């Protein structure tokens, strides 16, 4: 006798199926810590089987890492678009303010998922941690280009330290529920910390 308790699965082309699995994984990881999400729950949410999910991704770690990479790529693209839309000759401070605002937009969209690696160090898979580490290195490089500081050792500390300050400030913002009324204060504090470390805006 044929079983009738299985959830019917919609037939999708490979690109659509891959996208559906990624979307289901994004929703799952936004709602629960990495350790609490299973491959089966993601597959079920995507209307797929476990075997079909493994056809497209190397399990949960591969899915999570792909989402991390996709999120970082989207952030960088949005920051570049924000900079391109600014008037010619905008100050370094205003350029950093613009990209920081885009960063806050991303955090506010998925605060728990953003905060998870900071609240629980070591909780994300090694591949994802490596992606985050490379992204931080690239972010420092982009900040260096924005500011064009003179080549002084203390400026390198300032550039790297800015992101540590920003992480801590944003984590506090997330704990407070990402109130929109406090965005300006957060950004001003971050910019002030960077200016204090640099000694002055270099561009």
């Amino acid at each position: 006798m044929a079983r009738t308790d299985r959830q019917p699965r919609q037939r999708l082309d490979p690109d659509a199926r891959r996208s559906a699995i990624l979307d289901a994984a994004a929703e799952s990881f936004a709602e629960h810590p990495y350790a609490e999400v299973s491959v089966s729950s993601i597959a079920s949410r995507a209307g797929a089987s476990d075997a079909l999910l493994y056809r497209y991704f190397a399990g949960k770690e591969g899915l999570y890492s792909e989402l991390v990479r996709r999120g970082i790529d989207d952030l960088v693209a949005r920051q570049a678009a924000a900079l391109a839309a600014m008037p010619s000759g905008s100050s370094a401070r205003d350029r950093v303010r613009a990209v920081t605002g885009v960063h806050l937009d991303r955090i506010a969209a998925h605060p728990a998922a953003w905060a998870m690696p900071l609240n629980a160090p070591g909780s994300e898979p090694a591949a994802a941690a490596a992606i985050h580490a490379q992204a931080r290195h690239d972010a420092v490089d982009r900040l260096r280009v924005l500011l064009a500081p003179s080549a002084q050792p203390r400026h390198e500390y300032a550039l790297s330290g800015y992101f540590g300050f920003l992480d801590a400030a944003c984590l506090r913002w997330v704990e407070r529920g990402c109130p929109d009324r406090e965005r300006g204060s957060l950004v001003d504090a971050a910019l002030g910390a960077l200016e204090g470390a640099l000694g002055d805006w270099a561009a």
Side-chain angles (χ1 to χ4, degrees), residues 60-74:
K60 186 171 76 166
E61 180 173 349
L63 260 173
Y64 184 84
S65 298
E66 178 65 19
L67 287 171
V68 169
R69 189 185 307 278
R70 188 170 70 166
I72 290 169
D73 288 346
D74 180 68

Side-chain angles (χ1 to χ4, degrees), residues 22 24 49 66 71 75 97 105 109 115-116 121 125 129 142 146 150 168 176 178 187 190 192 194:
L22 277 170
S49 65
E66 178 65 19
L75 172 65
R97 180 182 292 278
D105 290 340
M116 187 269 290
R142 289 193 300 274
L146 278 181
S150 57
R176 292 173 62 81
C178 299
V187 175
L194 178 57

Side-chain angles (χ1 to χ4, degrees), residues 103-155:
H103 182 61
L104 294 189
D105 290 340
R106 182 188 179 212
I107 293 172
H110 300 290
W114 174 84
M116 187 269 290
L118 296 176
N119 282 328
S123 59
E124 63 177 1
I131 293 170
H132 274 132
Q134 182 61 50
R136 174 57 54 88
H137 181 274
D138 294 342
V140 171
D141 285 344
R142 289 193 300 274
L143 181 59
R144 184 183 297 108
V145 171
L146 278 181
L147 297 174
S150 57
Q152 298 181 34
R154 69 185 178 87
H155 286 154

Side-chain angles (χ1 to χ4, degrees), residues 1-144:
M1 181 177 177
R3 290 184 60 178
T4 60
D5 59 339
R6 291 193 179 98
Q7 179 181 353
R9 298 191 179 99
Q10 182 181 2
R11 292 188 179 277
L12 300 174
D13 64 62
D15 288 343
R17 174 62 70 191
R18 189 175 190 277
S19 179
I21 293 172
L22 277 170
D23 289 344
E27 292 170 358
S28 297
F29 290 124
E31 295 171 359
H32 305 284
Y34 176 82
E36 296 179 10
V37 177
S38 69
V39 166
S40 294
S41 67
I42 295 172
S44 177
R45 193 167 198 159
S49 65
D50 290 14
L52 187 57
L53 185 150
Y54 280 110
R55 189 181 303 173
Y56 291 93
F57 298 96
K60 186 171 76 166
E61 180 173 349
L63 260 173
Y64 184 84
S65 298
E66 178 65 19
L67 287 171
V68 169
R69 189 185 307 278
R70 188 170 70 166
I72 290 169
D73 288 346
D74 180 68
L75 172 65
V76 173
R78 289 177 183 273
Q79 288 178 327
L83 290 172
M86 297 185 71
S88 176
S90 294
S91 68
R93 186 184 184 95
D94 286 343
R95 294 198 300 271
V96 177
R97 180 182 292 278
V99 298
T100 303
V102 175
H103 182 61
L104 294 189
D105 290 340
R106 182 188 179 212
I107 293 172
H110 300 290
W114 174 84
M116 187 269 290
L118 296 176
N119 282 328
S123 59
E124 63 177 1
I131 293 170
H132 274 132
Q134 182 61 50
R136 174 57 54 88
H137 181 274
D138 294 342
V140 171
D141 285 344
R142 289 193 300 274
L143 181 59
R144 184 183 297 108

